[in-house]
Amino acid sequence: MPTPPLAGGTAGPAALRPLLDTVLAALHDGAALRGGPLPAGGPDTVTPRTRTATHPLIPDHGTGPHHALRALVTALAAGAADPAHPHCAAHLHTPPLALAAAADLAASALNPSMDSWDQAPAASALEADLTSALATEIYPHAPSPDAVITTGGTEANQLALLLARERHGPVQTVCGANAHHSVARAAWLLGLPEPVVVPAPTGTLDLAALDDALTELHRPLLVVATAGTTDTGEIDPLDAIADLCTTHDAELHIDAAYGGPLLLSPTHRPLLHGLDRAHSVTLDLHKLGWQPASAGLLAVPEHHHLTPLHHHAPYLNADDDTEAGLPDLLGRSLRTTRRPDALKIAVTLQALGRSGLADLVDRTVATAHHLADLITKTPALDLYDRPTISTVLFRPTGADDHTVATVRRTLLQRGHAVLGRAHAEGRLWLKATLLNPHTTPQDLQTLLDLVTDTTTDLLTGPPAEPLTGSQADLPTGPPAPEATPPAPEAAPQTSPAPEAPEAAPTPAPATTHPTPHPTESDTPR
């Protein structure tokens, strides 16, 4: 077998082109085999089918690049939960923009490692400019704001607690019952005291309870507020929390992993008023930024706040190299080898600009309000509350929690829809986390019809046998002798880009809910 070609250099693109044709055809074929937002049949069907299609993973003799790509990519696409499908709406799991995915391919082909300048000369300069620009969006009046790129909200929250610990010693974290689970986990990993959890009876952190907690605590304090909760998408009263932190001499970290990109929309930016008063802010652009994972950031108002991350490894950042002008990159992350995730973010920002990104944000929020409107007009469904960002909770009217959970699992088993689950007001709700700007009003109505029809089936009909789907068998068996095939035709478009949903009405005043919202722990961060 000849030595396989490389992706880089002047010869790399020619080697990649026919392989990419095979990959694109396999992605199309796999999605066609799946025929919906996820494969039907559940784990008992999907797992053996995938194993059959991809076995053996380590053969004695290789099958060749095109057969391997066809078999494995088709199997993965056929067995995917596809966030680009309008009925795949369970989690903060975004459908990535095509241009961001294309940029990610370039990053993979060039493969710069962001731990020393001599591995990433241009990529390190791009990352420095990007992180400074995004930090300035969060801290427009700070003299030298900066940010570091992370794997997501979990790593960014951990870094925020780490920096606070390095400034003040074993800080006491105070957060709401609505905070993401990564806050408590970060405190555990860093050997900090267990967080003091303040009630969030209406879905946002209770200000009076926070004031009481800060009055009683006397060690160095770090308050963690949330701008976009995992369960409901609600935003804590950031300005008022910052006022309390000032009164009690506490520092403030804001987890804006979900809601942070609202900054890019003039319409919705006011929801984040007070964000720039935080000592650190988490942002995650593989949520409401439509980036392939991962694309997280931790922003700070002053560059020197990141100094504790500095680390010395003579083979990567020798003192004389640094003194000679080579940038020191080890202080830009807790990781050593890491991908140039700045590239896809920068490509997206430059391609779409402020107006294009604002349009995506506004479309997505409007879609959530349209879904809420449809629910209120459906007698068989109850709406929890008007959406703050793009998360909508609802449930079949009169159903108990067991039925709600069974409806969700039945939709998964049949391959019809991917909806999340959340507890609020002491009950279980279905959760639609809408992040697809191409979703149409008809898509939303079909989703609700699936929920109401499934509920009726469960409550009035005989027990249904789980559907196993009609997918054809995936490619298996020994390949034909390897040869470079002709480039497949471009995959056809499944549908034209739909029009934006009608504009959302002015949200109704928030309803007071007497029970805290336990935070679900299954959202990828």
Side-chain angles (χ1 to χ4, degrees), residues 79 87 107 118 122 202 204 216 236 314 327:
H87 297 158
D118 58 354
T202 66
T204 58
E216 295 174 2
D236 285 335

Side-chain angles (χ1 to χ4, degrees), residues 214-465:
L214 296 180
T215 300
E216 295 174 2
L217 297 167
H218 302 293
R219 70 179 76 199
L221 302 174
L222 176 69
V223 174
V224 178
T226 306
T229 62
T230 302
D231 275 354
T232 62
E234 291 174 273
I235 296 173
D236 285 335
L238 305 180
D239 236 1
I241 292 172
D243 288 341
L244 286 175
C245 289
T246 299
T247 298
H248 293 281
D249 196 26
E251 290 197 352
L252 173 62
H253 169 66
I254 298 177
D255 177 0
Y258 179 11
L262 295 175
L263 279 174
L264 300 170
S265 164
T267 302
H268 299 290
R269 184 183 299 131
L271 291 170
L272 298 179
H273 194 265
L275 188 71
D276 62 337
R277 298 178 65 185
H279 290 78
S280 55
V281 173
T282 286
L283 188 66
D284 198 346
L285 294 172
H286 61 248
K287 294 181 172 59
L288 201 61
W290 298 280
Q291 298 298 297
S294 56
L297 291 103
L298 178 75
V300 293
E302 302 292 340
H303 171 76
H304 66 81
H305 289 179
L306 299 174
T307 300
L309 299 182
H310 174 75
H311 180 68
H312 187 250
Y315 77 104
L316 293 173
N317 58 349
D319 289 339
D320 57 325
D321 279 350
T322 303
E323 292 166 3
L326 296 183
D328 178 358
L329 304 186
L330 277 187
R332 305 296 299 174
S333 177
L334 291 181
R335 293 169 285 151
T336 304
T337 302
R338 57 188 180 89
R339 301 182 76 250
D341 289 317
L343 176 60
K344 61 194 174 191
I345 302 172
V347 166
T348 301
L349 292 171
Q350 190 169 99
L352 301 182
R354 295 178 187 277
S355 61
L357 285 160
D359 180 64
L360 287 178
V361 170
D362 293 346
R363 282 172 177 261
T364 304
V365 176
T367 298
H369 281 277
H370 187 77
L371 178 60
D373 291 340
L374 291 175
I375 293 168
T376 60
K377 296 173 184 176
T378 305
L381 296 173
D382 293 336
L383 176 69
Y384 169 67
D385 204 352
R386 303 294 304 181
T388 302
I389 307 177
S390 66
T391 300
V392 182
L393 301 190
F394 65 104
R395 54 181 284 133
T397 301
D400 58 19
D401 285 0
H402 173 75
T403 300
V404 173
T406 305
V407 166
R408 174 181 176 271
R409 286 192 293 269
T410 301
L411 290 169
L412 291 174
Q413 185 80 8
R414 293 175 176 176
H416 288 171
V418 189
L419 290 170
R421 52 186 287 160
H423 281 89
E425 289 188 329
R427 296 189 292 172
L428 182 66
W429 300 77
L430 298 172
K431 178 173 68 172
T433 308
L434 300 172
L435 292 173
N436 188 341
H438 288 273
T439 298
T440 67
Q442 183 57 50
D443 293 328
L444 299 176
Q445 185 60 61
T446 302
L447 177 63
L448 297 185
D449 290 343
L450 286 169
V451 171
T452 55
D453 291 348
T454 302
T455 304
T456 300
D457 288 347
L458 292 173
L459 294 179
T460 63
E465 291 294 327

